[in-house]
Amino acid sequence: MEEELKCPVCGSLFREPIILPCSHNVCLPCARTIAVQTPESEQHLPPLLHSRGPAPPAAAAAAAPGATAGSAACLDSECAAGAGGDHADKLSLHSETDSGYGSYTPSLKSPNGVRVLPLVPAPPGAAAAPRGAGPASSSLTCPQCHRSASLDQRGLRGFQRNRLLEAIVQRYQQGRAAAAAAAKCQLCDRSPPEPAAVLCEQCEVLYCAACQLRCHPARGPFAKHRLAPPPAHPGAPGGDGGGGGKGAGGARKLPTCAEHDLENYSMYCVSCRSPVCYQCLEEGKHSKHDVKALGAMWKQHKAQLSQALNGVSDKAKEAKEFLVQLKNLLQQIQENGLDYEACLVAQCDALVDALTRQKAKLLTKVTKEREHKLKVVWDQINHCTLKLRQSTGLMEYCLEVIKENDPSGFLQISDALIKRVQVSQEQWVKGALEPKVSAEFDLTLDSEPLLQSIHQLDFIQMKLPPVPLLQLEKCCTRNNSVTLAWRMPPLSHNPVEGYILELDDGDGGQFREVYVGKETLCTIDGLHFNSTYNARVKAFNSSGVGPYSKTVILQTSDVAWFTFDPSSAHRDIVLSNDNQTATCNSYDDRVVLGTAAFSKGVHYWELHVDRYDNHPDPAFGIARINVVKDMMLGKDDKAWAMYVDNNRSWFMHCNSHTNRTEGGVSKGATVGVLLDLNKHNLTFYINGQQQGPAAFENIEGVFMPALSLNRNVQVTLHTGLEVPQSVKQPKLPNN
């Protein structure tokens, strides 16, 4: 908070602070120093406001050319004594771009670098103007925003006194004096330690005068350290904000109106944003302005300031946590840097004489990387500390202002404080509280190169993997399966942890991941027949995912080629002829499925009856993967079948027999199965002729070719057949 209590001109704590029209504050003695008289050649400049009456003689004497240092006092004391008459306004505001004001070359400089504009000296030989010779043109330039204000007849006494700031400064001085007496040196060998004289903000150590000279000389690396007074003690007198401006418990005199000395402030002029008295409303320029009760506006502005402070308080809390994070980051960087150095030394020592010269280079790179990270973090710490100090000082100052019980004094500065708090909050932009570097070192050393390459040894920077190359000569399709192969480009040293293979839906839809792993060869089964698929692959490592490869287009088979599936068949089923011929060891019906699965398209296959003894009832059709396999096909809800004997056939699903049709099978007969998933129906053929109507309709899902038979039957599967173009007239069912 101390920065908020220092005059921008002299750099010291405020003494008799006054409020400039721009809401900034300066000491009254400093205001006398920076007040300037406008040269006669510039008196044509139009003031914003003109006085209604003639200037008093004292004002003319103060503005006379050739005025000595004593005339500076006339800017406030004498002019204030001679001020009289009715004035529309006391001050005129001009920005630094307005002609005539704030354009003088400074000849002095304040301790904190603010420009100081001295009084304009009188021309040689010029005589002092007599008192009452005419009004003087004087102005005062704000040392912070460089806006100029012209002075009226009362001079500097026309500016209002900042009583709140004066009281806060007095309490702060009392608390600092008590805290300085309580703070002790942290390096003293004496008992008790000497009182601390300074605090090093970088070392965070309190020193007495003797220990400072001995342990913290102002030379070498310590020359850049900032030494500050000992910090304020939490329990120091005056630190609780309860004291008045004149003492611990003394009551201040109620403020009176600047225009009417005998009247107290009672109302607040909304138009002029200043407290006014009753007489100002009756006689003065505020008679037609919008006014409100002083107490109500006091509470309203306090609430606004408190609300604005909440945001700054939250940011200050985040900044403190961020500083802790940065300091931990410093330690992690130091530790990780040392670890990397130790590992590097161990590796270089193992590579004998040829690695000696290269070892120094690699150590230098690690050190540079560490120093770079440390520098970035220190820069962030210093930047964040500065912002935090500014925000904390402003916050503490505003809290002290809120504790005041003087409405008029509070309202004098509340608008400016609210704007400052809002600007302070906006300074904490998004991303300001995030580290710019990480504690990890992205340096990987390959310790297994050949001896001939030892002079080319360097750190491998972890980068994204390159684009994989598809090996088109190894990519192929079979039935409804596709196989893809790829490899990394030659001379690629970026590590690869795995690959991601993506495939669309066969209709030009969105890609989806079908494989993630380290292999460079992958086969995808269960695709749609007669469909075109697009495939692509990309590699990844710990740094992220690399770019996609070129897209390869794969066409699945127009017709389905498949066999009986021995892995899912009932154990009594006997397969031969490369799993294309099936029979059974049991007299009971057993189920066997095909190796293909269908979900869309039109598919046709045939089964040739190789052996047919004792009039059995084989069943042909389709089924789900989880069909029951120890009974006739179609007796459960997972299969749709036609079972047939030597004379007739029936359709069966869920053990329901329908559509009996004349015509059976015998040795040498051929049963055809037509599955049309575009129309969602199933049709059967015997010896090329349709057997009855469409057996089943409105079927949807994934189906597999299926067959049930016993030991009296043997059939052979024929696949890869074109769908029949001409169909004979179907046999009509008997019932």
Side-chain angles (χ1 to χ4, degrees):
M1 183 177 70
E2 183 174 353
E3 296 298 327
E4 299 287 335
L5 305 181
K6 287 183 178 180
C7 174
V9 178
C10 63
S12 302
L13 295 178
F14 282 108
R15 296 170 296 163
E16 301 181 81
I18 60 174
I19 306 175
L20 300 181
C22 57
S23 299
H24 292 127
N25 301 279
V26 293
C27 298
L28 182 58
C30 297
R32 297 192 186 103
T33 305
I34 63 176
V36 296
Q37 296 177 356
T38 306
E40 293 180 358
S41 60
E42 298 184 6
Q43 289 187 3
H44 66 278
L45 295 171
L48 295 181
L49 251 20
H50 300 279
S51 60
R52 297 178 181 175
T68 61
S71 65
C74 178
L75 291 171
D76 46 25
S77 60
E78 292 182 13
C79 293
D86 186 13
H87 304 286
D89 262 334
K90 304 303 179 189
L91 303 173
S92 297
L93 294 178
H94 299 270
S95 69
E96 61 272 12
T97 57
D98 291 317
S99 176
Y101 295 122
S103 60
Y104 304 104
T105 303
S107 60
L108 298 177
K109 198 168 185 182
S110 67
N112 60 350
V114 179
R115 299 192 312 172
V116 177
L117 304 179
L119 294 175
V120 178
R131 298 174 69 88
S137 177
S138 298
S139 66
L140 182 66
T141 301
C142 175
Q144 290 183 275
C145 64
H146 304 295
R147 291 190 177 184
S148 299
S150 61
L151 276 64
D152 59 9
Q153 291 87 342
R154 296 178 299 166
L156 296 176
R157 294 296 180 185
F159 296 110
Q160 296 183 1
R161 188 84 163 266
N162 195 335
R163 297 181 303 279
L164 257 66
L165 179 57
E166 192 171 0
I168 293 173
V169 168
Q170 185 174 2
R171 288 203 307 272
Y172 179 77
Q173 288 175 324
Q174 294 173 355
R176 189 173 65 174
K184 299 296 182 181
C185 177
Q186 294 177 307
L187 297 180
C188 269
D189 296 332
R190 304 172 187 175
S191 181
E194 292 291 326
V198 293
L199 167 68
C200 177
E201 294 184 349
Q202 281 71 30
C203 303
E204 297 183 353
V205 176
L206 290 167
Y207 298 94
C208 65
C211 292
Q212 178 195 348
L213 295 176
R214 185 176 72 255
C215 304
H216 201 286
R219 62 179 181 274
F222 294 116
K224 297 182 180 180
H225 287 202
R226 179 173 175 175
L227 301 178
H233 195 274
D240 57 355
K246 297 297 181 181
R252 290 198 297 269
K253 181 181 177 181
L254 291 177
T256 57
C257 179
E259 302 286 342
H260 310 95
D261 295 338
L262 300 179
E263 295 289 339
N264 294 332
Y265 289 121
S266 59
M267 301 296 288
Y268 179 78
C269 179
V270 179
S271 303
C272 300
R273 295 180 176 271
S274 63
V276 296
C277 68
Y278 175 77
Q279 195 169 350
C280 290
L281 300 179
E282 293 295 329
E283 304 173 0
K285 63 179 182 181
H286 305 280
S287 58
K288 295 183 179 180
H289 290 179
D290 183 18
V291 295
K292 292 187 178 181
L294 189 66
M297 292 302 295
W298 173 45
K299 293 180 179 179
Q300 179 181 342
H301 281 224
K302 269 198 173 185
Q304 292 178 1
L305 180 57
S306 299
Q307 184 176 4
L309 275 177
N310 289 335
V312 178
S313 177
D314 294 339
K315 292 298 181 182
K317 182 179 179 181
E318 293 178 11
K320 290 180 180 179
E321 296 174 353
F322 179 59
L323 282 176
V324 174
Q325 180 183 355
L326 290 179
K327 291 181 179 180
N328 293 334
L329 186 62
L330 282 176
Q331 183 179 359
Q332 294 176 11
I333 291 175
Q334 291 282 10
E335 294 175 355
N336 292 344
L338 294 175
D339 292 341
Y340 270 86
E341 287 183 359
C343 179
L344 179 61
V345 170
Q347 289 179 335
C348 289
D349 289 342
L351 295 179
V352 293
D353 297 338
L355 293 176
T356 303
R357 293 187 298 271
Q358 195 71 17
K359 178 173 66 174
K361 296 180 181 180
L362 298 176
L363 282 172
T364 302
K365 289 192 175 184
V366 173
T367 303
K368 287 183 178 180
E369 179 72 11
R370 183 186 64 191
E371 293 300 328
H372 169 70
K373 289 178 177 288
L374 293 175
K375 182 179 180 302
V376 172
V377 175
W378 271 119
D379 290 344
Q380 273 196 284
I381 288 178
N382 294 334
H383 182 69
C384 185
T385 301
L386 177 61
K387 284 184 173 289
L388 179 61
R389 184 187 299 117
Q390 293 173 351
S391 299
T392 304
L394 178 60
M395 182 174 60
E396 292 176 357
Y397 172 63
C398 292
L399 291 174
E400 289 295 331
V401 170
I402 292 177
K403 293 176 183 178
E404 290 298 320
N405 297 320
D406 182 1
S408 58
F410 179 84
L411 292 173
Q412 287 176 341
I413 62 175
S414 58
D415 287 323
L417 282 179
I418 292 172
K419 292 180 181 178
R420 287 187 61 193
V421 170
Q422 292 172 347
V423 170
S424 177
Q425 183 178 0
E426 293 172 357
Q427 289 179 351
W428 297 98
V429 296
K430 183 178 181 181
L433 300 181
E434 296 178 358
K436 294 183 179 179
V437 296
S438 67
E440 298 298 327
F441 283 70
D442 296 332
L443 304 171
T444 302
L445 181 65
D446 184 3
S447 60
E448 299 179 358
L450 296 175
L451 187 61
Q452 298 87 327
S453 304
I454 206 161
H455 291 290
Q456 300 177 359
L457 185 65
D458 201 348
F459 286 110
I460 296 178
Q461 299 291 337
M462 184 67 73
K463 297 180 180 179
L464 294 177
V467 179
L469 301 178
L470 288 169
Q471 297 180 277
L472 299 181
E473 68 275 11
K474 296 183 179 180
C475 297
C476 61
T477 62
R478 184 178 182 276
N479 267 350
N480 60 338
S481 300
V482 296
T483 300
L484 294 106
W486 59 90
R487 62 178 175 85
M488 296 305 295
L491 303 178
S492 174
H493 301 291
N494 296 336
V496 175
E497 296 180 3
Y499 302 90
I500 300 175
L501 177 62
E502 295 182 355
L503 204 70
D504 68 2
D505 60 358
D507 287 330
Q510 296 292 327
F511 281 88
R512 67 187 190 280
E513 292 183 3
V514 295
Y515 170 75
V516 177
K518 297 182 179 181
E519 301 295 332
T520 58
L521 183 70
C522 181
T523 299
I524 302 99
D525 298 316
L527 302 179
H528 299 306
F529 286 90
N530 195 23
S531 299
T532 301
Y533 288 89
N534 295 295
R536 62 187 183 183
V537 64
K538 58 184 177 181
F540 64 88
N541 59 20
S542 58
S543 295
V545 180
Y548 285 105
S549 67
K550 293 182 179 180
T551 301
V552 61
I553 301 175
L554 300 167
Q555 175 72 40
T556 55
S557 176
D558 294 337
V559 295
W561 296 84
F562 58 90
T563 63
F564 292 118
D565 184 11
S567 62
S568 63
H570 192 276
R571 62 179 180 273
D572 293 335
I573 294 292
V574 178
L575 300 178
S576 59
N577 189 24
D578 294 330
N579 297 327
Q580 294 180 358
T581 300
T583 185
C584 183
N585 290 328
S586 174
Y587 286 102
D588 296 324
D589 292 308
R590 300 291 185 251
V591 174
V592 60
L593 301 177
T595 55
F598 308 113
S599 59
K600 73 172 187 178
V602 181
H603 309 281
Y604 178 76
W605 62 95
E606 291 181 349
L607 297 110
H608 183 268
V609 180
D610 300 328
R611 179 167 53 84
Y612 187 81
D613 302 326
N614 303 322
H615 311 297
D617 298 324
F620 310 87
I622 58 176
R624 308 283 191 195
I625 186 66
N626 57 345
V627 65
V628 178
K629 298 183 176 66
D630 57 359
M631 60 184 181
M632 180 182 287
L633 190 70
K635 287 194 174 183
D636 62 354
D637 61 347
K638 302 295 189 300
W640 295 257
M642 175 189 74
Y643 73 93
V644 58
D645 59 14
N646 61 330
N647 291 320
R648 61 190 68 81
S649 65
W650 291 265
F651 302 145
M652 185 166 61
H653 173 65
C654 293
N655 204 26
S656 174
H657 307 253
T658 59
N659 298 95
R660 189 183 73 173
T661 305
E662 295 296 325
V665 296
S666 61
K667 180 179 178 181
T670 300
V671 177
V673 181
L674 177 62
L675 175 63
D676 189 347
L677 290 175
N678 295 334
K679 297 180 180 179
H680 305 286
N681 58 36
L682 179 65
T683 307
F684 295 95
Y685 298 86
I686 297 180
N687 297 325
Q689 182 178 0
Q690 182 174 340
Q691 185 75 358
F696 303 99
E697 296 180 345
N698 301 321
I699 54 175
E700 293 183 356
V702 179
F703 306 96
M704 306 182 73
L707 166 71
S708 69
L709 72 171
N710 61 17
R711 64 182 304 165
N712 293 317
V713 181
Q714 178 177 306
V715 298
T716 298
L717 177 65
H718 297 276
T719 61
L721 305 177
E722 295 289 341
V723 176
Q725 298 297 323
S726 59
V727 178
K728 298 180 182 179
Q729 293 295 325
K731 297 179 182 179
L732 297 178
N734 293 338
N735 51 23

